[in-house]
Amino acid sequence: MQSDCCIDVADAFAKRFGRAAVAVAVAPGRVNIIGEHTDYNDGFVMPAALDLETRIAFAPRDDGAVRIYSDVVGEEVQFAFESAAREKLPFWALYAWGVGMSLLERGITPSGLDAYVETSVPQGGGLSSSASFEVAVAIACLGDKWTALDKLDLARVARRAENRYVGTQCGIMDQYSIVFGAEGHAVMLDCRSLESRLISFPEAAALVIADTSVRHVLGESGYHERQEECARANSVLSSSLPGVKNLRDVNMPMLEGKKNILGDAVYRRARHVITENARVHEAAAAMTAGDLARLGALMSESHLSLRDDFEVSCRELDVMVESAAGLPGHFGTRMTGGGFGGCTVSLVDKSSAAAFAGALRERYQAAARLQAATTIVRPGGGARLAKPRETGNA
Ligand code: GLA
């Protein structure tokens, strides 16, 4: 995708800080193709890194201070990792501070920095703008030593920043796929073993991301509420079924046997996780076989399960999914990310993608009375450190 909205981040750095950037830390956003709300249940997910990315032009500082300007927010913040007062930092800067703190916990002293941040990842839309920012900050703090940190550790450091220092109890999917993503591939990840394999994304297909333009405030509280409901299901099932550690180990007959003691809502949350894990396996097989019709059908089934059983969709996401149905070249559509607003992802025939996106925007506008922004993407590469003049691949 062309990111002609992007400014040259190294030039912007030089103008702001009066010296040259030494490098640019680049981390993509991610789209989850299938496997939603399964990562924090030790389940399976199949996301892909995007060719939309956060770029941080930076130069180290000797005094340990961090001076970071966000082009997204239009604000500059200055702090030192160890002595920063959390409550004095604006919310967006907590992610950067949290990454430094999480590196310190790992026994690694992050470098002080001057840093200029810009991004083409839509903010708060379910495409992991936060995780993308965290991973890019971690790479900037490590500079040219960033590869000394194992890739899995890099993902863990970024997730820790969000869990402990920002306070969002996200799973590992976002940070993992941003670090391990590979161009033209989806990442099939087992969130228990943290082992993954790359699956080639079919040449004939494209993904269309459509932003509903709504972000419901319920998002974060709803996310944590769902985690608690899954934890309740886990505790009942693991204490009464031998060999069950959590929902990952439960099949539908086992769940049916416990329906009465779980209660309706918790039963449905568990049903979503169990059926979604099965869909991820089937989707991986369909993608490997290039069976776009089957892959798309699984994505559409995933949406229904998220809507009806997990209850994390919203009217606008449902309208977008309904608007996509029946358009030429369309195989399937679902909400992507945590839910309660944000984006949908559609699997489409590559040659129909532009026409599909246009028709989808029109239908959504007519049905929801809202403008949708659409983006045609293919899976992009994982996070990296680039020379200031080598960043323009997006
Ligand atoms: C958010 C979280 C992820 C994952 C998804 C839902 O994106 O950051 O860890 O739980 O929601 O699948």
Side-chain angles (χ1 to χ4, degrees), residues 30 32 35-40 128 170-174 223 337-338:
R30 67 97 189 93
N32 190 14
E36 215 68 84
H37 289 276
T38 45
D39 65 345
Y40 54 83
S128 286
C170 62
I172 189 80
M173 167 171 70
D174 304 348
Y223 186 83

Side-chain angles (χ1 to χ4, degrees), residues 276-305:
E276 186 77 350
N277 278 333
R279 279 187 289 273
V280 177
H281 284 292
E282 239 202 284
M287 194 183 284
T288 307
D291 186 347
L292 298 179
R294 184 67 196 134
L295 179 57
L298 289 160
M299 289 168 67
S300 297
E301 279 172 32
S302 166
H303 184 78
L304 297 182
S305 180

